[in-house]
Amino acid sequence: MFSVLPGVAAFPRRHLGLFLGGWLLAAGVGVGAPANTADTWPHHITGDRGSATVYQPQVVSWNDRRQLEARIALAVTPTGAKEPAYGTLEVRFDTTTDLAGRRVTLTNPVLLSARFPSLDAPGVSGIEENARRILSGVGAKTVPLDMILMSLRHQADAAASVPLSQDPPRIYYCARPACLVVFDGQPVMTAVTNCPLTFAVNTNWEVFFDASTQNWFLLHNGAWLSAPDVRGPWLPAGPLPPAFSSLPADGNFAEVKRQVPGRALAASDAPTVFVSMTSAAIIVTTGAPKLTAIPGTALSFVSNTDAALFQDAGGTYYYLISGRWFSAPALTGPWTFATPSLPSDFAKIPASGPRGWVLPSVPGTPQAQEAVIQAQIPQEATLSRSGAALTVYYAGAPQFVSITGTSLFYAANTSFVVIQDGTRYYSCYQGAWFS
């Protein structure tokens, strides 16, 4: 059944009902829209050939998130009849989803079936004929995405079983300003054109090495840090080596060049820098952790961090990162995979509370079921082929590594996402695929 979610009050649930229950379902009694527009069900409709009671529509399926099928129950009482005829109509629509606007546009309605067991063949045929006639004149209609998700939340497709490693990333903790620099393996350095510096291509951070000083340099929030070793210790860099003045102002280094010489940074204001050569995450709190109890549960959340960090009554910490839960007896670890054994109180976290946004990642919650459906919604955009270009930079010759469980390979010595499939190469850049 459809209902309204917080934040979609501008789209009362009668919108979809009027579309389905009015323009379509009233075909059985010869009217074009229900007489009442109140946000109540069922709708009672009277026409020149009788009356109908239309019940709240239900979404049956949303195939590939491109075609939506809905079922509507109704009771039709033709003029002169003593008893209503009960039945259902099933209608299919093509859909286009505006995920940012939380709207779904329904087009090209098609009547799939009409079932009225108590009517004879001519009676059912008459309802089908009227329904198809009205459908042919129906234009595009827009309904709230959240209504459809609510109706489908118990029909979410089970996630495909894919063998994935559940080993936790390396999780760092710090009670003062900090940052985490992650390399995909050991740093892979490549030369900067017409510049004596080299830069790391297997990290998303701006990391450079200056051979003249044998120092590493890291750009962080407009300030430069330096270290004698890539693992640290990292301190404010002070004046940069002359080599930085020769950085090219092309698409790859223009933004970095604008940060030379960078903003001044006192040693006391410098962040703690953690460096990892493997998958890693970081939890940063402003001082010691501050616990805030969650009403109705035995849980508390750490309120002085942006991280999804919780503690149960026994003192165990729970941390959500990239959709997976990990637990540890202390913030320093050791961390273990915890999604399958998450305490039941997590499902009781108030949706409107300060940590309600974690519910889509709590197994078994309605929000998690909706998230599965939403993740399957195609997202499309128009890209000008003439204006779209991509140049991939490698450190030396491209090096490809097999992706476990597939026939694909990925490029290991570049910060770009490059996938090899046979003799073709694909790269996803800023939401667009290039080949």
Side-chain angles (χ1 to χ4, degrees):
M1 304 293 284
F2 292 100
S3 60
V4 178
L5 292 178
V8 294
F11 297 91
R13 63 182 174 186
R14 64 174 179 265
H15 278 214
L16 186 57
L18 292 181
F19 180 34
L20 302 179
W23 283 288
L24 309 183
L25 305 187
V29 294
V31 298
N36 61 313
T37 57
D39 187 15
T40 57
W41 292 95
H43 290 314
H44 301 286
I45 306 165
T46 300
D48 56 10
R49 293 195 299 274
S51 63
T53 300
V54 181
Y55 297 90
Q56 191 169 6
Q58 292 182 333
V59 176
V60 176
S61 63
W62 195 8
N63 301 322
D64 296 327
R65 312 310 174 215
R66 295 182 183 275
Q67 286 192 323
L68 183 144
E69 295 184 11
R71 180 183 297 121
I72 310 99
L74 67 160
V76 176
T77 307
T79 300
K82 295 182 179 180
E83 298 292 336
Y86 293 93
T88 61
L89 296 180
E90 293 200 11
V91 184
R92 183 183 67 220
F93 306 88
D94 292 338
T95 64
T96 303
T97 304
D98 173 8
L99 199 56
R102 310 295 295 175
R103 298 179 178 89
V104 179
T105 300
L106 310 179
T107 57
N108 303 322
V110 176
L111 179 67
L112 299 178
S113 66
R115 295 185 177 89
F116 288 83
S118 64
L119 292 183
D120 56 16
V124 175
S125 177
I127 290 178
E128 290 180 341
E129 179 181 349
N130 286 329
R132 290 193 175 96
R133 174 179 55 82
I134 293 176
L135 285 172
S136 65
V138 171
K141 299 292 179 181
T142 299
V143 299
L145 168 63
D146 293 292
M147 288 184 182
I148 296 176
L149 295 180
M150 284 280 288
S151 197
L152 288 173
R153 60 165 48 166
H154 297 300
Q155 305 176 31
D157 297 334
S161 178
V162 179
L164 297 174
S165 171
Q166 302 298 356
D167 295 337
R170 185 168 185 179
I171 299 174
Y172 297 90
Y173 168 68
C174 191
R176 65 176 306 276
C179 68
L180 172 63
V181 178
V182 179
F183 292 89
D184 186 9
Q186 294 298 314
V188 178
M189 310 300 292
T190 191
V192 179
T193 304
N194 299 322
C195 178
L197 298 172
T198 57
F199 74 100
V201 299
N202 59 338
T203 179
N204 287 331
W205 288 85
E206 304 293 353
V207 179
F208 295 83
F209 180 73
D210 176 44
S212 66
T213 61
Q214 291 294 297
N215 273 336
W216 294 80
F217 293 86
L218 167 68
L219 180 60
H220 177 267
N221 286 342
W224 287 94
L225 304 171
S226 66
D229 185 273
V230 70
R231 296 183 181 275
W234 292 89
L235 299 172
L240 293 174
F244 277 87
S245 63
S246 59
L247 280 171
D250 58 22
N252 287 292
F253 298 104
E255 183 59 33
V256 176
K257 194 175 181 67
R258 282 193 285 269
Q259 304 299 325
V260 177
R263 64 180 178 88
L265 183 67
S268 59
D269 296 329
T272 300
V273 179
F274 296 92
V275 177
S276 179
M277 310 305 174
T278 60
S279 177
I282 186 172
I283 299 170
V284 178
T285 58
T286 306
K290 294 181 180 179
L291 295 173
T292 300
I294 300 177
T297 75
L299 301 173
S300 298
F301 70 92
V302 180
S303 59
N304 59 335
T305 178
D306 292 332
L309 185 62
F310 298 80
Q311 189 183 64
D312 66 13
T316 299
Y317 284 97
Y318 293 86
Y319 175 45
L320 174 65
I321 179 69
S322 299
R324 297 187 299 165
W325 290 94
F326 298 94
S327 64
L331 290 177
T332 53
W335 293 91
T336 57
F337 182 56
T339 299
S341 57
L342 207 61
S344 59
D345 272 5
F346 274 88
K348 301 176 185 177
I349 294 174
S352 59
R355 290 298 183 269
W357 49 268
V358 306
L359 288 172
S361 296
V362 176
T365 62
Q367 293 84 353
Q369 293 167 332
E370 290 179 15
V372 172
I373 298 171
Q374 184 166 303
Q376 299 167 347
I377 297 174
Q379 299 182 54
E380 300 175 345
T382 301
L383 182 68
S384 171
R385 291 183 178 274
S386 61
L390 174 64
T391 301
V392 178
Y393 293 87
Y394 300 89
Q399 300 173 9
F400 284 84
V401 178
S402 175
I403 300 176
T404 304
T406 75
S407 60
L408 306 175
F409 297 80
Y410 75 95
N413 60 334
T414 178
S415 60
F416 293 84
V417 178
V418 182
I419 304 295
Q420 180 185 2
D421 180 18
T423 58
R424 294 291 294 179
Y425 298 85
Y426 301 86
S427 181
C428 186
Y429 181 71
Q430 294 183 345
W433 281 95
F434 294 80
S435 67

